[in-house]
């Protein structure tokens, strides 16, 4: 039974409150309050439905209006809680986007990023059920792990690359340049320690690393003038280059150019003029070395892409040059090791489905089907 007619003034007051609440509910949907504060939103919605039922059941108007005021307060609190939860989720999602776009970070800090994923998921789950305090704690832990993963990637990536470059050409450089490069590297390692202690922003550290990389490249540049390894005294009585009667010089400057979850692209420099054959050797984890590619004589830079590799697997690479006097392989300290990338699955998707407001005339009760990660 519907409520009997009331004075126009009272009905106007009730309708005004309903219009205000409807506007608040519409705003709550636009701010994703049902997603980020579901418990508080559902409490407000239940109270709102009760107020409508009470109105039709002839509950005193003062009690109904009081219940509507309570609905407004609950909805406002739900919106505040949702804003805080959404901020936590947005921050976590932003960090994860940086992981997806940063290949070096995924490669050098794979283990740390697994820990980040664990706390990130927990933070989002807690935020969406309204446990703001616990969500903030998990989000803060995830943020700390992400920072450490970033610093570890900087150490293992560009800084180690600069160290390897200096070690590779150190014997061919003047002592003053070696000293200057060593000081730059020491300064960069100190900057990493400062960032780890919270005394330096990571963005500032990245700028320092960029500057340091250019400085190291300049200091370790070798001109086309012959170095000590390229100067040979003719063998008495023979009159030809001594490399023609001994194994070829070992290939060097073996670098990783690109990697995916199933392939690795690399290059190296051939240093011999009398190599008869060249071999690329690979080892998976701690397994044995195996020859995976073979070439005849090569010169200067050589590039190669290996495919069909396993995701998230560590591989080692070395190159062997060989002639009739024997082989010579990439020195131990010049070999490279690389992980194929880890495929990060989609683990959170947010869908919004709005059904028709005219349930009486829609004349349908069909299910809504949503397929994710489906090729059909």
């Amino acid at each position: 039974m519907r409520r009997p007619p009331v004075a126009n003034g009272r009905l106007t007051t009730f309708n005004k409150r309903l219009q205000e609440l409807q506007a608040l509910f519409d705003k709550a949907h636009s701010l994703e309050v049902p997603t980020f504060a579901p418990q508080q939103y559902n409490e407000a919605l239940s109270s709102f439905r009760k107020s409508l039922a009470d109105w039709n059941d002839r509950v005193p108007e003062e009690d109904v209006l009081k219940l509507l005021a309570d609905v407004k307060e609950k909805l406002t609190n739900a919106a505040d809680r949702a804003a805080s939860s959404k901020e936590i989720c947005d921050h976590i999602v932003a960090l994860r986007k940086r992981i997806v776009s940063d290949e070096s970070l995924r490669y050098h800090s794979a283990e740390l990023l697994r820990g980040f994923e664990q706390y990130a998921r927990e933070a989002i789950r807690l935020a969406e059920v309204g446990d703001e305090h616990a969500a903030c704690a998990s989000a803060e832990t995830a943020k700390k792990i992400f920072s450490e993963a970033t610093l570890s990637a900087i150490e293992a990536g560009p800084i180690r690359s600069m160290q390897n470059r200096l070690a590779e050409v150190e014997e061919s450089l003047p002592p003053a340049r070696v000293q200057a490069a060593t000081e730059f590297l020491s300064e960069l390692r100190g900057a990493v320690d400062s960032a780890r202690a919270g005394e330096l922003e990571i963005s500032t550290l990245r700028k320092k690393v960029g500057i340091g990389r250019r400085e190291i490249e300049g200091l370790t540049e070798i001109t086309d003038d012959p170095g000590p390894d390229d100067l040979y005294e003719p063998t008495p009585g023979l009159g030809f280059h001594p490399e023609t009667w001994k194994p070829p010089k070992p290939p060097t400057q073996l670098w990783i150019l690109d990697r995916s979850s199933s392939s690795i692209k690399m290059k190296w420099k051939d240093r011999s003029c009398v190599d008869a054959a060249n071999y690329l050797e690979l080892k998976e984890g701690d397994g044995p070395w195996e020859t995976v590619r073979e070439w005849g004589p090569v010169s200067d830079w050589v590039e190669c892409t290996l495919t069909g590799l396993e995701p998230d697997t560590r591989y080692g690479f070395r190159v062997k040059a060989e002639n009739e006097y024997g082989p010579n392989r990439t020195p131990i300290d010049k070999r490279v090791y690389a992980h194929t990338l880890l495929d990060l699955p989609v683990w959170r998707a947010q869908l919004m489905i709005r059904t028709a407001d005219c349930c009486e005339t829609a004349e349908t009760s069909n299910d809504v089907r949503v397929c994710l990660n489906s090729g059909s």
Side-chain angles (χ1 to χ4, degrees):
M1 178 182 295
R2 293 194 175 276
R3 186 182 184 88
V6 296
N8 288 338
R10 293 182 178 180
L11 182 59
T12 301
T13 301
F14 179 74
N15 286 337
K16 183 179 179 180
R17 295 290 185 272
L18 288 182
Q19 291 174 358
E20 291 177 353
L21 287 174
Q22 186 59 53
L24 284 176
F25 274 108
D26 290 342
K27 184 177 181 180
H29 274 278
S30 68
L31 296 176
E32 301 179 273
V33 174
T35 298
F36 293 100
Q39 181 177 350
Q40 292 77 10
Y41 177 83
N42 288 333
E43 289 176 359
L45 186 59
S46 297
S47 296
F48 179 67
R49 289 170 176 167
K50 184 177 185 305
S51 67
L52 295 180
D54 289 351
W55 175 262
N56 289 325
D57 291 341
R58 296 179 295 177
V59 172
E61 181 182 5
E62 292 76 9
D63 293 341
V64 175
L65 294 178
K66 183 178 180 180
L67 187 57
L68 289 177
D70 181 59
V71 172
K72 181 178 180 180
E73 182 179 356
K74 287 181 177 179
L75 198 55
T76 302
N77 292 336
D80 293 340
R81 176 65 62 85
S84 177
S85 298
K86 187 174 186 299
E87 182 180 357
I88 293 173
C89 293
D90 287 348
H91 182 64
I92 291 295
V93 171
L95 292 180
R96 199 170 188 276
K97 285 182 178 178
R98 288 168 61 181
I99 293 173
V100 172
S101 63
D102 192 334
E103 181 181 327
S104 176
L105 179 60
R106 298 197 307 273
Y107 168 61
H108 291 295
S109 301
E111 192 62 35
L112 285 170
L113 292 182
R114 291 190 183 94
F116 167 84
E117 287 280 307
Q118 176 184 349
Y119 283 98
R121 294 188 187 194
E122 183 68 5
I124 289 179
R125 185 189 69 80
L126 292 169
E128 291 182 343
V129 299
D131 194 343
E132 184 179 354
H133 179 73
C136 287
S138 292
E140 186 62 27
T141 302
K143 182 180 177 181
K144 290 179 180 179
I145 295 176
F146 178 84
S147 296
E148 179 57 33
T150 301
L151 294 175
S152 296
I154 290 174
E155 286 179 317
I159 292 182
R160 181 171 296 175
S161 176
M162 287 183 268
Q163 291 173 334
N164 291 341
R165 172 60 180 169
L166 177 59
E168 182 178 324
V169 301
E170 184 175 358
E171 295 181 357
S172 303
L173 295 176
R177 288 166 64 182
V178 173
Q179 178 64 26
T182 302
E183 291 175 357
F184 265 110
L185 288 170
S186 178
E187 181 180 341
L188 289 178
R189 286 190 289 267
V192 172
D193 292 338
S194 297
R196 188 168 275 125
E199 301 168 357
L200 184 69
E201 293 290 335
I202 292 182
S203 59
T204 303
L205 172 62
R206 290 185 183 277
K207 293 178 182 178
K208 287 180 174 290
V209 170
I211 294 172
R213 190 198 298 269
R214 291 190 292 272
E215 292 291 342
I216 294 296
E217 286 177 353
L219 289 169
T220 58
E221 183 179 5
I222 300 178
T223 65
D224 293 333
D225 297 332
D229 193 36
D230 298 318
L231 295 177
Y232 291 89
E233 291 294 332
T235 303
L238 295 180
F240 51 80
H241 199 286
E243 196 181 1
T244 58
W245 45 271
K246 67 178 184 179
K249 296 179 185 178
T252 187
Q253 299 183 45
L254 182 55
W255 293 339
I256 301 297
L257 299 179
D258 194 15
R259 61 183 69 83
S260 70
S261 60
S262 61
S263 65
I264 293 179
K265 181 180 181 180
M266 69 201 74
K267 73 173 183 178
W268 63 90
K269 190 170 186 179
D270 179 74
R271 302 170 60 235
S272 175
C273 61
V274 294
D275 49 322
N278 291 266
Y279 305 88
L280 176 62
E281 298 178 333
L282 169 149
K283 65 182 299 186
E284 180 177 338
D286 296 325
W289 288 100
E290 299 178 6
T291 299
V292 291
R293 292 289 174 85
E294 180 178 348
W295 296 266
V298 296
S299 62
D300 204 26
W301 289 99
V302 182
E303 289 190 6
C304 175
T305 300
L306 289 181
T307 58
L309 304 179
E310 294 295 326
D312 192 27
T313 303
R314 184 175 184 265
Y315 290 96
F317 301 95
R318 68 185 184 186
V319 181
K320 178 177 70 173
E322 189 176 57
N323 63 15
E324 60 180 308
Y325 294 100
N328 227 336
R329 290 184 172 87
T330 308
I332 292 178
D333 60 336
K334 302 297 189 300
R335 299 170 187 172
V336 294
Y337 293 84
H339 261 88
T340 46
L341 299 184
L342 172 67
D343 285 331
L344 294 177
V346 175
W347 52 266
R348 180 177 184 268
Q350 180 176 324
L351 304 177
M352 178 179 291
I353 301 175
R354 181 164 185 167
T355 56
D357 294 329
C358 49
C359 57
E360 291 85 359
T361 60
E363 297 181 355
T364 179
S365 60
N366 293 342
D367 294 334
V368 176
R369 182 181 181 187
V370 178
C371 295
L372 297 178
N373 299 330
S374 174
S376 58

